[in-house]
Amino acid sequence: MKKSMGLIVFSLLGLSQLAIAYEYPLQFKPNAGYRGLVVAGYGFQGDNVVGNCSYYTVSGGGAGKGGGGRAPAKVYAQTCTWDSHGNLLSMTPGAPKIPAALYIKGSLVVYAVNANGDFTGTDMHLPSRGFVSSAGSRYTWLTPNQNAVLHQFVYTLTATLKSDGDVPVNIFSVAVRALNGVATLKKSDCEGGINVGDKCSVTLTYDPTQLIGNNGLATDTLRIDLSSDAGEPHGFVQNFTIIVPGKGDRSGPRRMEML
């Protein structure tokens, strides 16, 4: 019996050689319980961004029984540097002085532009606000990753990719894994340089046949990760709900083609 399920498609969209800068968030993770977070790009050192990554924390306590009031805030005044794709490189004590803005456009406040035409500042639409806009390779998963319902068969899945950066993307490796079931990479032509506009595909098998259910259902997560030169890499995550038959209802695993 042959069944099919919606294709999982990933895509790296190829762009023309004309540089169309992409806005990368300045990555920064403060300590738990942070307040007053400021992440902003203020200038450049070569291709790297220099800016603010400051916040404060307040410990518990209070004026109740035995309490002495709230403890003083602990301030983390810091200067950070990031690469041209927003990846954190270093962090040093002491917050930098806020420079005068070069210009303000909509939600963007731009503080600096370098010789490559990259620019940095803050964007009110970003959670942490700091950003750098620069050219480079990039990819986006196109397929919606809503939860899918499967039966306990072996599935063959083919994923197709495109790039959506400014230049061709170089993919160094592809890895597939499942949290509870078994995911196995069968073949892939998504390694090496992927020219602008070209497509590539990943084929894998996903086997949930050994999962044990609770009230007739089991859950699992399938993940595909790429190692590449893209500025903002991220894995594709697909959640599954698997229908687990009761004793005597299972006729054995079946191969399901993903067309």
Side-chain angles (χ1 to χ4, degrees), residues 88-142:
L88 183 64
L89 299 176
S90 67
M91 182 172 57
T92 56
K97 182 179 178 181
I98 303 175
L102 294 181
Y103 63 88
I104 299 174
K105 183 177 181 181
S107 65
L108 299 180
V109 178
V110 175
Y111 291 109
V113 180
N114 70 6
N116 299 325
D118 301 343
F119 55 94
T120 188
T122 61
D123 185 345
M124 293 292 290
H125 290 161
L126 296 176
S128 296
R129 299 189 179 180
F131 78 94
V132 57
S133 183
S134 63
S137 61
R138 191 174 72 98
Y139 63 86
T140 299
W141 303 106
L142 293 185

Side-chain angles (χ1 to χ4, degrees), residues 142-243:
L142 293 185
T143 301
N145 58 346
Q146 294 97 338
N147 185 73
V149 179
L150 307 181
H151 292 274
Q152 277 196 303
F153 305 131
V154 177
Y155 291 84
T156 299
L157 306 116
T158 298
T160 302
L161 302 87
K162 290 185 179 180
S163 83
D164 61 359
D166 306 295
V167 296
V169 63
N170 291 294
I171 299 175
F172 310 122
S173 64
V174 178
V176 302
R177 59 190 172 94
L179 184 63
N180 298 312
V182 178
T184 305
L185 179 66
K186 288 187 66 176
K187 62 180 181 179
S188 171
D189 58 2
C190 290
E191 294 188 17
I194 309 300
N195 292 326
V196 173
D198 286 356
K199 296 180 180 180
C200 66
S201 62
V202 177
T203 300
L204 60 96
T205 57
Y206 170 65
D207 183 355
T209 58
Q210 300 305 310
L211 298 186
I212 299 174
N214 181 16
N215 295 323
L217 297 174
T219 59
D220 201 3
T221 300
L222 175 70
R223 186 179 181 99
I224 301 181
D225 290 296
L226 305 178
S227 173
S228 73
D229 63 358
E232 194 180 14
H234 52 276
F236 180 86
V237 179
Q238 174 70 57
N239 293 315
F240 295 132
T241 298
I242 297 95
I243 299 173

Side-chain angles (χ1 to χ4, degrees), residues 1-86:
M1 178 171 146
K2 195 168 186 174
K3 297 185 179 181
S4 63
M5 187 176 91
L7 172 67
I8 294 181
V9 181
F10 321 83
S11 81
L12 293 179
L13 291 180
L15 294 134
S16 67
Q17 295 292 345
L18 294 175
I20 305 171
Y22 177 75
E23 187 177 302
Y24 296 98
L26 298 180
Q27 303 294 330
F28 182 75
K29 186 176 182 180
N31 292 332
Y34 69 89
R35 299 183 184 183
L37 177 64
V38 176
V39 178
Y42 290 159
F44 287 94
Q45 289 181 350
D47 293 336
N48 294 333
V49 175
V50 180
N52 203 342
C53 54
S54 301
Y55 62 99
Y56 68 92
T57 60
V58 178
S59 61
K65 196 183 281 189
R70 185 176 294 276
K74 184 173 182 179
V75 178
Y76 295 83
Q78 301 168 137
T79 296
C80 282
T81 61
W82 297 267
D83 66 17
S84 60
H85 292 147

